[in-house]
Amino acid sequence: MRRTLAVWALLVLAAPVVAGCDDGDDPAPAGGPAATSGTDGADTGDGAAADVPEECREAFPQAFTAADLGELALLPDGFPDPPVEATLCLTAETVGGANETASYATTATAEEVLAGYEAALASYGATRDQDGLGRPIVTATAGDVVIQVTPQDGGFVLVLAG
């Protein structure tokens, strides 16, 4: 118990010191973060990575590198391309790979995304449903993989759960 409290106290006391560290060499310009250069995924000066498509920057500001569907192990063979014009912005997985996501930017409406995926995933038993927050989604199943498509402002997220 004492050891836990000692470690906790050390973390609490050290946090302000670490958070306040700054070498002062690269101050952020007014209105945004400092730009970096010389590395893949370099910051463009507006907080966006250089290799992230422009279409993605507003809908998925957390995209820092180019996305690759090849990184998704749960994506079923022969899975259809998006049924609306869309740009792949971000792929991610949870620790252990039980869930994976592919996030797309699009100018299509939520209804166009849902109707398109309902038709495109018909062979996977696609149905309209609602998520836990009452938002409309399309769900389907490909073998052991559950697929969910959730529209959002400026895009949609494809979730694969295995």
Side-chain angles (χ1 to χ4, degrees):
M1 178 72 172
R2 277 192 217 156
R3 184 177 205 170
T4 302
L5 289 174
V7 169
W8 180 82
L10 180 60
L11 291 173
V12 169
L13 293 173
V17 174
V18 173
C21 290
D22 184 343
D23 63 9
D25 289 345
D26 294 312
T36 59
S37 61
T39 61
D40 288 338
D43 190 323
T44 62
D46 63 359
D51 57 351
V52 173
E54 182 67 34
E55 301 88 351
C56 298
R57 294 183 181 166
E58 187 173 331
F60 300 100
Q62 69 274 31
F64 291 109
T65 61
D68 180 5
L69 280 180
E71 295 175 354
L72 301 180
L74 296 175
L75 194 67
D77 289 336
F79 194 80
D81 289 332
V84 295
E85 189 173 324
T87 301
L88 179 63
C89 297
L90 180 69
T91 57
E93 75 176 82
T94 58
V95 175
N99 296 311
E100 297 176 328
T101 60
S103 301
Y104 290 86
T106 187
T107 58
T109 66
E111 179 55 33
E112 290 169 330
V113 170
L114 293 169
Y117 268 107
E118 193 172 21
L121 299 179
S123 65
Y124 297 107
T127 59
R128 294 246 189 154
D129 205 349
Q130 291 185 346
D131 67 8
L133 300 174
R135 297 176 297 191
I137 60 173
V138 168
T139 59
T141 304
D144 293 338
V145 177
V146 176
I147 303 159
Q148 177 178 310
V149 180
T150 305
Q152 68 173 49
D153 287 341
F156 59 91
V157 178
L158 175 68
V159 177
L160 307 166

